[in-house]
Amino acid sequence: MRLLPEHYDELVMIRHYIHEHPELSGQEFKTTQFLTDYLQDLDITVLATGLKTGLVAQIGSGQPVIALRADIDALPIIENTGLAFASKNAGVMHACGHDLHQTSLLGAAKLLKQREAEIQGTIKLIFQQAEETHIGANEVLETGVLSDVQAIIGFHNMPDLPVGQIGLRSKGIMAAVDQFYVTVNGTGSHAGYPNQGVDSILATSSIITSLQQLVSRNIDPQHAVVVSVTHVDAGNTWNVLPDKAIFEGTIRTFAPEDRILAKKRFYEVVENVAAAHGVSVTIDWIFGSNVTYNDPELSAFMFDDMQNWHEDVVVPVPSNAGEDFASYQEQIPGVFAFIGSNGPGSPGLHFSDMVIKDETIPIAVAYYVENAFSLLKKLGNDLHV
């Protein structure tokens, strides 16, 4: 399957437009309207879900039923790419490539609609909101609109993989994600008289330093676990020690036992170091998403089948990034892949200067279309065994 030149040009324009107009998680109102208008112009049914943003559409009818998913939200990042179509929304950027994802699913929707007579079953198209905040997938699932879906697929672009390369592995492909938010409560004082207070900044610094040993001295060296403190805030001026400080960040794991141990040791380190400094702490632990776990049977089928229409399919290294696609996989057999979108050494996901090459679009569209037909055929055969 190849895109006609005029279809490719249209999709490039669409991606550039979407990239110029990013919207944060839960605020994708104009994006949702743009997607809805495009699909309805193709005479594709947009299902009633009650979602405030995001949408689910449908092509075909009857059994079996599969779903294709793309995410649509952007990140609170100031863009630094210098692109002619850089973000026009100050402080918001498609720094994770969701502009590519939704554009590719729109391209697939157009081709699938043109071939609707060939579709033996139903294909649901998920343009999902709020992936970056880990709640969008669950919001879609709670509508019940996917209750009849028997298989679901998605992908994520990977800027450090060559354009067009597809990476697929069975079982865990992306990490489980947990967030933490810690408040450190001391006693403020004059900077010249630290003895009259309890220094929340010093305590916070010691806690963060100690957390860097959590992985190296507690986790099996053969296992992938990451602890990152990403935000620290304390004080308002140069000559006053503040009453409190905060820090937040994330822990990424693949094995359930590592996830349990990491949380346990996190609490112990934070509370014990705090006690040694004479401060109190409040820990807010926020569940993000589980491991993005590819169904072994479907993964093996898709890996072999994709070799029939694409020459560059590989088994990638798992990513420490997380994906709420995992929420779908907890209820529906699913497969999530990586598609190369730039090349080795390129700025990665969530970087302010990340650039995706438009040449990625055709293979991403083909990923949706070819796998949709293959899965429908496989599931249809399974129904009649």
Side-chain angles (χ1 to χ4, degrees):
M1 185 222 70
R2 294 184 181 276
L3 290 179
L4 295 173
E6 58 268 28
H7 191 193
Y8 173 75
D9 291 342
E10 177 194 27
L11 292 177
V12 169
M13 291 176 62
I14 287 173
R15 187 181 87 81
H16 291 186
Y17 172 82
I18 292 172
H19 189 90
E20 282 185 306
H21 301 89
E23 295 179 295
L24 295 174
S25 304
Q27 300 176 29
E28 314 95 329
F29 296 103
K30 292 182 180 178
T31 302
T32 300
Q33 190 60 57
F34 175 83
L35 296 168
T36 300
D37 292 344
Y38 186 88
L39 294 168
Q40 289 181 336
D41 285 346
L42 295 174
D43 198 28
I44 293 175
T45 301
V46 176
L47 302 176
T49 62
L51 294 169
K52 293 181 179 179
T53 59
L55 65 92
V56 180
Q58 179 174 307
I59 301 173
S61 62
Q63 295 287 324
V65 183
I66 66 169
L68 315 178
R69 179 270 203 169
D71 36 17
I72 68 173
D73 53 334
L75 287 157
I77 292 175
I78 298 172
E79 182 161 351
N80 187 34
T81 62
L83 293 171
F85 53 93
S87 172
K88 293 181 178 179
N89 295 344
V92 185
M93 177 188 174
H94 271 300
C96 204
H98 296 183
D99 52 332
L100 170 72
H101 301 170
Q102 57 191 299
T103 299
S104 302
L105 189 52
L106 285 179
K110 185 170 186 175
L111 293 178
L112 290 168
K113 185 63 178 179
Q114 291 172 352
R115 299 173 61 183
E116 189 167 20
E118 304 172 43
I119 296 174
Q120 297 182 12
T122 302
I123 301 172
K124 294 188 176 182
L125 313 173
I126 306 167
F127 292 86
Q128 184 209 300
Q129 74 289 353
E131 186 279 327
E132 296 292 355
T133 53
H134 308 293
I135 63 173
N138 283 323
E139 290 177 343
V140 174
L141 287 164
E142 287 166 3
T143 69
V145 74
L146 304 184
S147 61
D148 56 351
V149 172
Q150 295 153 267
I152 184 169
I153 66 169
F155 82 88
H156 206 294
N157 83 92
M158 280 293 162
D160 61 346
L161 295 181
V163 170
Q165 185 175 89
I166 299 176
L168 176 59
R169 66 183 300 120
S170 179
K171 301 182 180 179
I173 191 169
M174 297 185 80
V177 178
D178 289 302
Q179 294 173 249
F180 52 82
Y181 186 98
V182 179
T183 303
V184 180
N185 297 294
T187 304
S189 68
H190 191 291
Y193 300 93
N195 57 299
Q196 295 179 3
V198 180
D199 191 345
S200 63
I201 292 180
L202 177 61
T204 299
S205 301
S206 296
I207 293 169
I208 292 173
T209 300
S210 296
L211 286 173
Q212 301 311 306
Q213 302 174 37
L214 191 155
V215 173
S216 66
R217 291 299 176 265
N218 293 274
I219 304 297
D220 185 332
Q222 303 300 316
H223 293 194
V225 176
V226 177
V227 178
S228 292
V229 175
T230 57
H231 176 210
V232 182
D233 189 26
N236 297 298
T237 189
W238 67 278
N239 61 350
V240 178
L241 289 170
D243 289 319
K244 71 175 184 177
I246 68 95
F247 68 92
E248 61 180 330
T250 180
I251 294 183
R252 311 295 173 110
T253 55
F254 283 90
E257 63 271 23
D258 291 340
R259 193 177 196 180
I260 293 170
L261 177 59
K263 180 179 180 181
K264 175 177 180 291
R265 290 296 293 134
F266 181 91
Y267 271 77
E268 290 173 348
V269 168
V270 171
E271 291 173 347
N272 289 333
V273 175
H277 282 268
V279 299
S280 64
V281 290
T282 301
I283 302 172
D284 293 315
W285 193 267
I286 305 158
F287 174 84
S289 59
N290 285 323
V291 172
T292 307
Y293 186 88
N294 285 337
D295 180 85
E297 179 184 350
L298 286 182
S299 297
F301 169 78
M302 284 179 55
F303 191 92
D304 290 341
D305 187 76
M306 283 192 290
Q307 318 264 347
N308 296 324
W309 56 269
H310 190 59
E311 61 184 13
D312 195 7
V313 183
V314 300
V315 178
V317 175
S319 170
N320 286 330
E323 246 289 349
D324 76 350
F325 189 84
S327 295
Y328 298 117
Q329 292 173 311
E330 291 169 23
Q331 299 187 26
I332 306 165
V335 175
F336 198 74
F338 299 149
I339 296 180
S341 57
N342 200 320
S346 303
L349 303 175
H350 295 204
F351 278 64
S352 65
D353 57 347
M354 187 196 80
V355 174
I356 288 174
K357 293 184 177 179
D358 290 325
E359 292 82 356
T360 309
I361 295 173
I363 192 62
V365 172
Y367 171 83
Y368 283 130
V369 174
E370 298 290 351
N371 284 314
F373 279 107
S374 296
L375 283 173
L376 285 173
K377 182 177 179 180
K378 170 181 167 49
L379 293 171
N381 290 339
D382 291 347
L383 286 172
H384 296 98
V385 170

